[in-house]
Amino acid sequence: MGGASSKKAEMASENPATSNENLESYKLRHPGTCSGMFWRKDPRPDASSRKQKGGEDWPRNGSILNGMVHEIGSTKWLCVDSWKQ
């Protein structure tokens, strides 16, 4: 899950820009002086069966992230399928 906590989702807009089936688009808006968001490890129990995308190419502020939101416990996570810097 190349994603980040939606609790920290000042990273992602609360309102998706577009929708496509199950995927939604969010504009990255990390607060403060950070220039973007590092990829986080997939927090889902079966995460080891999924290959994580992204690697060193982390999204910068203003990037459009396309993916699905998952709620794990009381935290929302965006599972990013694709992104555009």
Side-chain angles (χ1 to χ4, degrees), residues 22-63:
N22 294 325
L23 297 180
E24 296 177 330
S25 296
Y26 297 86
K27 184 173 183 177
L28 178 68
R29 295 183 309 189
H30 194 285
T33 60
C34 295
S35 61
M37 178 73 68
F38 290 102
W39 297 116
R40 306 291 192 249
K41 185 176 177 185
D42 190 334
R44 294 176 288 181
D46 61 344
S48 62
S49 65
R50 293 186 179 88
K51 180 174 176 15
Q52 183 169 328
K53 297 179 183 180
E56 301 283 323
D57 189 19
W58 50 276
R60 289 8 178 233
N61 281 338
S63 295

Side-chain angles (χ1 to χ4, degrees), residues 3-15 26-31 37 40 65 69 75-78:
S5 166
S6 281
K7 215 170 202 179
K8 296 177 183 173
E10 291 88 34
M11 78 147 277
S13 168
E14 290 300 319
N15 300 314
Y26 297 86
K27 184 173 183 177
L28 178 68
R29 295 183 309 189
H30 194 285
M37 178 73 68
R40 306 291 192 249
L65 308 174
V69 174
T75 304
K76 291 182 180 179
W77 292 81
L78 178 62

